[in-house]
Amino acid sequence: QSCSTATYTANNNNKMVSDNTKIGTGLMFLGFTFLFLGILFLFDSTLLALGDILFLTGLTLTIGTSRTLRFFTRKDRIRGIVAFFGGVTLVLCRWPVVGMILQVYGLIYLFGQFFPIAAASLKDVPVVGTVFRHPSVEGFFSSFGRVAAGDRRAPV
């Protein structure tokens, strides 16, 4: 009886993760791994290009096609979008150093408001939390939340 009850509870759980989300998360992890290896191997353009493609594919599968298109077509984020995709294009054209600099700038511009939220969450982690509670680190991450152009919405 307990086995059937556990199966019933698992089947009726509304928080189950779809297969696309699982595959997308795996592809994003592979993308980050290839990006890390590409930087580690002195900006190897092949590894960086593969990491970019896997990351973008994983992002699309994780949050869905419509939300990805909506995120990358917002007018208030055009500077970050152009910088990010310009960086991807430069990496694909074998200009990895300049491409990665543009990608990092684009990601900071696109996800800058998320960094203070992530840093606040990491303050509660046992080992890493002491670093994120340091006043200079708090000041650094809180500077990402300030926007001169007015109030912007959350990244996704």
Side-chain angles (χ1 to χ4, degrees):
Q1 286 182 352
S2 64
C3 181
S4 63
T5 306
T7 306
Y8 176 77
T9 305
N11 288 339
N12 285 337
N13 190 358
N14 291 333
K15 297 180 183 179
M16 295 193 65
V17 180
S18 72
D19 289 338
N20 281 346
T21 304
K22 292 176 189 175
I23 294 169
T25 305
L27 288 176
M28 284 177 59
F29 175 75
L30 280 174
F32 281 128
T33 303
F34 278 106
L35 286 170
F36 175 74
L37 289 174
I39 292 170
L40 188 69
F41 292 135
L42 301 175
F43 293 95
D44 181 45
S45 60
T46 305
L47 290 173
L48 292 173
L50 189 57
D52 285 338
I53 293 169
L54 287 172
F55 172 74
L56 289 173
T57 305
L59 181 70
T60 304
L61 285 174
T62 301
I63 66 173
T65 307
S66 63
R67 288 181 73 185
T68 303
L69 287 174
R70 210 172 338 144
F71 177 73
F72 283 116
T73 55
R74 289 192 42 191
K75 301 273 191 236
D76 61 330
R77 297 186 183 144
I78 194 72
R79 181 186 293 174
I81 295 165
V82 169
F84 179 75
F85 283 109
V88 170
T89 304
L90 286 175
V91 167
L92 292 173
C93 293
R94 296 192 175 267
W95 284 57
V97 176
V98 178
M100 287 305 295
I101 291 171
L102 270 177
Q103 283 184 31
V104 168
Y105 173 76
L107 285 175
I108 289 173
Y109 192 85
L110 289 171
F111 295 103
Q113 286 184 316
F114 179 69
F115 293 141
I117 298 167
S121 298
L122 288 173
K123 287 179 188 178
D124 297 331
V125 176
V127 176
V128 181
T130 57
V131 174
F132 284 94
R133 284 190 292 268
H134 193 271
S136 60
V137 176
E138 282 183 346
F140 174 75
F141 281 106
S142 67
S143 68
F144 282 108
R146 296 185 205 119
V147 178
D151 188 23
R152 286 178 35 189
R153 294 177 43 190
V156 177

